[in-house]
């Protein structure tokens, strides 16, 4: 049993592409694609935190 991400759905809701998120977060696009497709084998907490902080910043949610 693992963690299931709904990242792709969230990106669609806030109108951000996977590539834009990867670029803004300075994370490899493949990492974002794997998170969206739930095919990640492991994710560093630092990477996860960076993605979340970037999503908050880009979405305007504080």
């Amino acid at each position: 049993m693992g963690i299931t991400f709904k990242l792709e759905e969230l990106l669609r809701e806030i109108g951000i592409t996977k590539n834009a998120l990867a670029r803004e977060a300075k994370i490899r696009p493949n990492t974002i694609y794997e998170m969206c497709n739930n095919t990640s084998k492991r994710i560093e907490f630092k990477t996860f935190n960076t993605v979340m902080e970037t999503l908050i910043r880009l979405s305007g949610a504080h």
Side-chain angles (χ1 to χ4, degrees), residues 29-57:
N30 285 352
T31 300
I32 301 299
Y33 279 81
E34 288 170 358
M35 289 175 72
C36 286
N37 295 328
N38 287 296
T39 58
S40 302
K41 297 211 185 326
R42 69 180 184 91
I43 297 172
E44 301 281 336
F45 282 115
K46 181 179 178 183
T47 301
F48 181 77
N49 191 50
T50 300
V51 169
M52 295 299 107
E53 287 176 349
T54 304
L55 282 169
I56 289 167
R57 183 171 44 84

Side-chain angles (χ1 to χ4, degrees), residues 9-34:
E9 182 179 318
L10 178 61
L11 290 173
R12 214 174 306 122
E13 283 179 25
I14 60 178
I16 298 171
T17 65
K18 295 172 198 162
N19 283 330
L21 176 59
R23 187 175 47 254
E24 290 292 323
K26 295 178 178 68
I27 293 175
R28 291 177 43 247
N30 285 352
T31 300
I32 301 299
Y33 279 81
E34 288 170 358

